[in-house]
Amino acid sequence: MNWLIDFFGDPVNWSGPDGIPARLLEHLEFAGLSLLLAMLIALPLGLLIGHTGRGALLVVSIANAARALPTLGLLVLIVLLMGVGTILPVLIPLVALAVPPILVNTYEGIRGVDPDLRDAAYGMGLRGRQVLGRVLVPVALPLILLGLRLAAIQVVATATVAAYVGLGGLGRFIIDGLATKNFPSTIGGAVLVALLALLVQLGFTLVQRATVSPGVSERQTIR
Amino acid sequence: MSEEPLVRWDWIGRNWPTIQGLLADHIVMALVPIVIGLLIALPLGLAGVRWRWLYQPTVGVMNVIYSLPSLAVFIVLIPVTGLATRLTVMVPLTFYAMAVLIPAVVDGLGSVPDHVRQSAVAMGFTPLRRLLQVELPIAVPVVLAGLRVATVASVSLVSVGALVGRGGLGYLFIDGWQRQFYTPIVVGIVLVVVLAGVADLLLILAQRLLTPWSRARGSA
């Protein structure tokens, strides 16, 4: 506890390019951009293979294998190959981390929709794309959001390793603290990252409440 | 540096004993938490099914634990478990495994059709025998799906432990980075992915052996 007071109580930690606000912004930039890129790749692909069923086995197998990629290894390899001129070396491993959960959950969500519902939608005269947008996506939304939430949490947590190769973000407090045996900084950084991850978790819970149809989430039984 | 090939095969040959040691360390640190996590998740999952009100709070706590960054937890644990010990890495991984496995056990038992449960009761199965011989076998596919996710994640996460001095194959990333040398990094990445793949295959195989009826019906 004293370490935390040392860290958060020190005004030096609250200003300048090494301060908490600046590092937090960097962290959010890494995590936000990676998540956005991962969504742009994984959501359309997941919807496509979930809806058509084509190439699903191949795509899902690749995505599951990609889950095993160690982010730290990927990061140091890419930085050695490309240098650290831009933030691209951080984005690539983080995107690789975020795509599988979004892709697999979107696919499973769409594919898992009750076939009767799908048939009913076609029977009502909806076309392929309308069925996807008006029936399949709303029904699959809890699983899609779960995938996004898992991806977001992992990205926020893992963006800390960017500091190991000299890039910014909240990981700097952790890695620099470890290197200089500054324990308050290390613990303080760890607590900040954990708080951020919890906020993301809370944010997604709220988004889920707001966007998932009451009929789907069983908050309201349909008679 | 531009002459440097991505993989120097002679380096792998010369350092093979070291790599093997790291691989063994990695396997222990990744798999022991899965086994212990499963052993804890089974009774907790059963309790969650038996006493429904217990389940939501348990999942809530597990969600919070799951969202804690592994590196952060490793560091907070150092004063307790020591720097560069296996325990520092294995304790958090056990909790991550539980976070995935408890919902899997509960969902798995929930997937047992009611008529099957009632048939077992009607045939005179005692609650314990019903659990062991009817409900758990039917829950196997769902539990194993959770086990596969947890195992792959665990294998991949161990390498982060290298930042606190004990990361199995993750050491190769640190080594390669410090010497600006590609080979150990490539070797590490490949071995981690292969290890996760082998573990995943073994679990798929286990599922085939444990659920012979799904094969008999002709659906995998």
Side-chain angles (χ1 to χ4, degrees):
Chain A
M1 266 304 134
N2 284 334
W3 286 328
L4 287 182
I5 296 166
D6 282 352
F7 178 71
F8 289 106
D10 190 344
V12 173
N13 284 335
W14 287 97
S15 60
D18 304 326
I20 293 169
R23 291 296 182 212
L24 181 65
L25 272 181
E26 285 171 343
H27 203 93
L28 289 175
E29 187 192 355
F30 296 159
L33 266 178
S34 325
L35 196 63
L36 194 70
L37 285 173
M39 280 166 71
L40 288 178
I41 298 169
L43 282 178
L45 193 58
L47 292 177
L48 183 75
I49 59 173
H51 192 41
T52 63
R54 255 175 258 151
L57 185 69
L58 181 71
V59 174
V60 171
S61 304
I62 294 175
N64 276 330
R67 277 179 203 255
L69 282 174
T71 311
L72 181 64
L74 220 50
L75 178 71
V76 291
L77 184 63
I78 291 169
V79 171
L80 279 189
L81 288 171
M82 297 175 53
V84 280
T86 61
I87 64 168
L88 203 61
V90 189
L91 293 188
I92 295 172
L94 289 181
V95 169
L97 183 74
V99 163
I102 303 176
L103 180 60
V104 172
N105 277 287
T106 304
Y107 163 72
E108 297 278 354
I110 297 292
R111 203 203 49 161
V113 173
D114 190 342
D116 289 349
L117 269 179
R118 196 187 271 245
D119 289 348
Y122 281 112
M124 287 170 70
L126 297 184
R127 289 163 195 282
R129 206 173 265 206
Q130 292 171 317
V131 171
L132 184 66
R134 296 195 201 163
V135 178
L136 300 185
V137 169
V139 173
L141 200 56
L143 258 183
I144 297 175
L145 283 175
L146 173 70
L148 285 173
R149 191 184 80 197
L150 292 176
I153 288 173
Q154 283 179 9
V155 164
V156 164
T158 312
T160 43
V161 297
Y164 182 70
V165 292
L167 288 153
L170 291 172
R172 286 308 289 264
F173 295 115
I174 300 177
I175 304 278
D176 293 352
L178 269 182
T180 58
K181 303 245 186 289
N182 179 354
F183 231 62
S185 165
T186 301
I187 299 273
V191 168
L192 280 173
V193 178
L195 282 180
L196 191 59
L198 289 179
L199 274 180
V200 169
Q201 171 105 1
L202 186 71
F204 268 95
T205 312
L206 295 179
V207 168
Q208 178 142 8
R209 287 252 167 90
T211 56
V212 173
S213 151
V216 172
S217 62
E218 294 175 23
R219 271 176 289 155
Q220 185 183 314
T221 29
I222 296 163
R223 288 166 209 278
Chain B
M1 203 65 198
S2 56
E3 302 286 308
E4 176 70 27
L6 211 52
V7 177
R8 280 178 170 276
W9 296 100
D10 56 319
W11 182 89
I12 300 177
R14 269 183 283 117
N15 292 282
W16 188 241
T18 315
I19 298 172
Q20 265 184 327
L22 293 171
L23 182 63
D25 209 30
H26 201 103
I27 292 174
V28 171
M29 284 194 290
L31 298 190
V32 170
I34 295 294
V35 174
I36 298 177
L38 181 63
L39 289 179
I40 303 175
L42 275 175
L44 284 183
L46 287 174
V49 172
R50 177 71 182 76
W51 298 286
R52 218 51 222 194
W53 55 269
L54 256 178
Y55 181 54
Q56 276 313 320
T58 315
V59 168
V61 171
M62 284 299 147
N63 267 338
V64 169
I65 289 175
Y66 192 76
S67 64
L68 299 177
S70 52
L71 181 58
V73 182
F74 292 160
I75 286 162
V76 174
L77 271 179
I78 289 174
V80 186
T81 53
L83 187 67
T85 62
R86 277 183 180 168
L87 216 54
T88 306
V89 175
M90 282 165 39
V91 170
L93 289 185
T94 306
F95 279 96
Y96 292 144
M98 280 162 59
V100 176
L101 291 175
I102 292 175
V105 171
V106 173
D107 292 345
L109 291 173
S111 74
V112 178
D114 240 5
H115 62 262
V116 172
R117 191 172 288 133
Q118 284 163 1
S119 309
V121 176
M123 285 171 71
F125 277 58
T126 60
L128 184 67
R129 257 190 79 202
R130 193 177 81 216
L131 177 71
L132 292 177
Q133 299 187 345
V134 179
E135 293 174 351
L136 281 180
I138 293 177
V140 160
V142 181
V143 176
L144 273 179
L147 212 50
R148 287 175 60 191
V149 172
T151 305
V152 171
S154 190
V155 168
S156 169
L157 272 178
V158 165
S159 48
V160 177
L163 294 177
V164 293
R166 193 73 186 252
L169 295 165
Y171 169 76
L172 295 172
F173 306 149
I174 306 287
D175 186 41
W177 171 251
Q178 284 171 348
R179 296 195 281 143
Q180 309 276 299
F181 180 30
Y182 301 134
T183 306
I185 305 175
V186 175
V187 169
I189 294 175
V190 169
L191 284 180
V192 167
V193 172
V194 168
L195 182 57
V198 169
D200 203 37
L201 275 181
L202 288 178
L203 285 171
I204 294 174
L205 200 68
Q207 168 153 6
R208 299 207 107 207
L209 292 175
L210 288 172
T211 58
W213 58 87
S214 64
R215 247 177 315 157
R217 218 183 286 145
S219 63

